[in-house]
Amino acid sequence: MLTPPAIYADPAFDMAVEQFRLIADYLNIDHNDRDRLLLPKRAITVALPVHRDDGSTTVFTGYRVQHHLTMGPTKGGTRFAPSVNMGEIAALSIWMSWKCALAGLPYGGAKGGITLNPRELSIRELEAVSRRYMQEMIPFVGPHTDIMGPDMGTNEQIMAWFMDTYSVHMGHTVSEIVTGKPVFLGGSAGRRESTGRGVAFLVERALDFLKIKPEGCTAIVQGFGNVGSVAAEALYYKSGVKIIGLSDAYAAFYDPKGIDLDQVQVHLRNHPDLANFTGASRIDPEEMLVQPCDILIPAAVDRVINGSNAGRLQCRILAEAANGPTTPEADVILDQRYNEILLIPDILCNAGGVIVSYFEWVQDLQNFFWNETEIADRLFRIMDGAFTAVVKRAKTEKIPYRRAALAIAVERVLKAKQTRGLFP
Ligand code: GLU
C-alpha cells in the first residue's frame, strides 16, 4: 500500500489503516485494490469566519471527508469538538463505510466536523458557525451526493440550521439533505434514541447468546451523552440491569450496589454535566473501566481500550458504542481473551444511528413517514441480521467478531468496486 497522504496524520487514522491492513491480509485482497478501498475519495477543508459576540472575528476550521462513492451517496455525522482534525475525520469516514456496508445500507461513509468546543460559544455564535459550515459545503453535498447527520457535539437544532441554510440556497425545503432533524421538520421518529437503543438491543442479544439473564447483570458505561445515556437507561429501566459505573468527560462514578438513574436524570435536568453529581462515589475514570462487571460500554471517544488496560478488563461483554474505542494493540489481547470477553465491534454495535438516519432519508425522499414502532421494528431487524451474520462468520472461520464484521463489510465494498470497474 502507498503511504497515506500527510494530511491524514493522526493516531485514529493510523488505527483505521492498521485495521484495514489486517483485514486485507486476512481476505487476501489484491494489492492493486487496497489503496482504492482505503484512501478517501474526497477530503475538504473550509475556513469558517464568524463574528463573535465581543465584536472580534474568529476563523474556525471545518472538514468533510467522503470515503467512497461506489454504492450510493456518502453518509455520516458532523462532529463539533476541540480534537477534530482531518486525520480523525478521515478515520471516522472509513469506519462509516464499513458500518454502512455491514448493515446493508446503500451508502459510502463520510464524516465532517469543526474544530471547536461548543460549550465555549454562545447560541448565536454556534448558529453562525453551523450555517457557515453548511454554506461552504454546498458545492460538495446533496441528497444524492453526501448526506450529513449528527455526531459528538451536534444536535437536532444544528441539523435544523444545516437544513435551513441548504434549503434557503436552493429556494425550497430540502429535508433530505440532513438527518437527525427535529421530528416536526422531517426528522424520523426514534432517531435521537436510535444509536443507544441499538446498543442496548445488541447487548441483550449477546446476553441471550451467552444464556445470561439481563436482570441483575451489572454494567459500566463510559460517556453519558446521547448514546451512553439512552443505552444505560434502556438496560436499566427495561431490562433490570444494574449500572455500577458511569462517567462523562468531567467525572466518573462507581457503586457496586448500583447507581440510581432517576437521580442522575434529576441532576442532569439542572446541570450541564456530571461534575457535581453526589449520588455515587467518585472513581478514577481509568480505574472505572477495569472494575468487574458483566457489560462494559465505552460510549465516548476513540482509543480508550488500549494495550495497557485490555489485559485488565473484567467484563463478559464489551459493547463498543463509541467509534474506534479499541486500539489494534488491545485487539491482539482481546483476541486471546476471545472465550472470556464477547466483543460487539463498533461498526455493528453503534450502527443503530445511521440505520435510522437511512430511514429518515428514505422517509424524506418519499414524504411518507413511519411511526416509532415501525422504526424500532425495522431497526432491530437489520441489527439482528447483522449480528447473526457476524456470529456465523466468526464461528465458521474461527475468527474474532471484529474480524468477522470487517470481513463482511470490506468484501461488500470490494465486490461493488470490482463489479462497477475502474473508469476509464
Ligand atoms: N454519527 C453517527 C455514527 O457515527 C451517525 C451518523 C449519521 O446518522 O449519519 O454512526
Side-chain angles (χ1 to χ4, degrees), residues 192-213:
R192 199 182 61 74
E193 300 81 7
S194 55
T195 315
R197 266 188 199 155
V199 171
F201 173 82
L202 286 183
V203 165
E204 295 207 2
R205 194 69 182 67
L207 285 169
D208 186 52
F209 179 75
L210 295 171
K211 301 192 173 42
I212 300 173
K213 291 234 167 335

Side-chain angles (χ1 to χ4, degrees), residues 70-125:
T70 311
M71 298 166 88
T74 46
K75 180 82 193 84
T78 320
R79 178 170 285 200
F80 286 6
S83 67
V84 163
N85 64 45
M86 182 62 101
E88 184 196 50
I89 295 298
L92 288 160
S93 78
I94 293 170
W95 292 329
M96 281 307 297
S97 284
W98 310 147
K99 194 186 305 187
C100 291
L102 180 62
L105 309 182
Y107 294 139
K111 199 69 145 209
I114 308 179
T115 315
L116 58 75
N117 181 350
R119 284 164 62 124
E120 288 169 4
L121 272 69
S122 69
I123 294 290
R124 193 206 62 79
E125 291 171 334

Side-chain angles (χ1 to χ4, degrees), residues 14-341:
D14 293 344
M15 187 173 141
V17 172
E18 176 63 6
Q19 281 178 349
F20 176 75
R21 194 186 58 74
L22 290 169
I23 203 70
D25 283 350
Y26 178 71
L27 294 174
N28 257 321
I29 294 178
D30 192 301
H31 283 268
N32 289 303
D33 288 320
R34 294 192 181 199
D35 289 337
R36 198 176 155 213
L37 268 168
L38 179 69
L39 294 178
K41 176 59 71 180
R42 296 188 186 128
I44 302 144
T45 308
V46 287
L48 308 168
V50 169
H51 282 307
R52 304 303 297 266
D53 292 346
D54 65 5
S56 64
T57 301
T58 304
V59 181
F60 293 95
T61 305
Y63 303 93
R64 184 86 184 156
V65 177
Q66 299 168 348
H67 178 230
H68 79 81
L69 313 175
T70 311
M71 298 166 88
T74 46
K75 180 82 193 84
T78 320
R79 178 170 285 200
F80 286 6
S83 67
V84 163
N85 64 45
M86 182 62 101
E88 184 196 50
I89 295 298
L92 288 160
S93 78
I94 293 170
W95 292 329
M96 281 307 297
S97 284
W98 310 147
K99 194 186 305 187
C100 291
L102 180 62
L105 309 182
Y107 294 139
K111 199 69 145 209
I114 308 179
T115 315
L116 58 75
N117 181 350
R119 284 164 62 124
E120 288 169 4
L121 272 69
S122 69
I123 294 290
R124 193 206 62 79
E125 291 171 334
L126 200 58
E127 176 173 355
V129 73
S130 303
R131 287 187 179 280
R132 188 67 195 231
Y133 176 76
M134 176 49 100
Q135 175 69 42
E136 297 294 346
M137 287 296 166
I138 284 175
F140 310 107
V141 299
H144 296 285
T145 312
D146 182 19
I147 305 126
M148 293 185 186
D151 195 78
M152 230 162 74
T154 57
N155 57 23
E156 292 180 2
Q157 175 61 76
I158 292 171
M159 298 306 113
W161 288 328
F162 285 171
M163 185 273 262
D164 182 71
T165 306
Y166 189 87
S167 298
V168 167
H169 182 85
M170 294 299 153
H172 58 96
T173 299
V174 188
S175 327
E176 60 272 25
I177 184 62
V178 163
T179 61
K181 302 176 296 293
V183 172
F184 56 89
L185 283 177
S188 177
R191 170 61 186 89
R192 199 182 61 74
E193 300 81 7
S194 55
T195 315
R197 266 188 199 155
V199 171
F201 173 82
L202 286 183
V203 165
E204 295 207 2
R205 194 69 182 67
L207 285 169
D208 186 52
F209 179 75
L210 295 171
K211 301 192 173 42
I212 300 173
K213 291 234 167 335
E215 301 82 45
C217 276
T218 54
I220 294 177
V221 183
Q222 181 198 42
F224 210 66
N226 182 39
V227 179
S229 66
V230 173
E233 283 160 16
L235 291 170
Y236 178 82
Y237 290 109
K238 297 211 184 85
S239 317
V241 170
K242 241 184 350 180
I243 309 295
I244 59 168
L246 192 64
S247 71
D248 67 5
Y250 305 91
F253 301 88
Y254 176 70
D255 183 345
K257 290 199 287 304
I259 299 171
D260 181 350
L261 287 198
D262 286 353
Q263 271 190 43
V264 176
Q265 285 184 352
V266 171
H267 174 86
L268 288 177
R269 244 172 263 144
N270 304 308
H271 303 83
D273 52 53
L274 292 172
N276 298 313
F277 179 63
T278 51
S281 341
R282 295 284 281 253
I283 185 170
D284 175 74
E286 277 289 315
E287 281 307 302
M288 183 186 81
L289 295 176
V290 296
Q291 299 307 308
C293 63
D294 296 302
I295 308 150
L296 176 62
I297 307 183
V301 289
D302 50 68
R303 292 176 293 119
V304 294
I305 313 281
N306 45 45
S308 62
N309 61 12
R312 294 191 293 134
L313 298 185
Q314 299 191 66
C315 57
R316 183 69 190 88
I317 293 174
L318 174 57
E320 295 185 337
N323 288 309
T326 305
T327 64
E329 296 79 55
D331 266 335
V332 173
I333 299 167
L334 292 177
D335 287 357
Q336 288 160 2
R337 302 186 65 193
Y338 183 78
N339 290 323
E340 289 168 70
I341 298 179

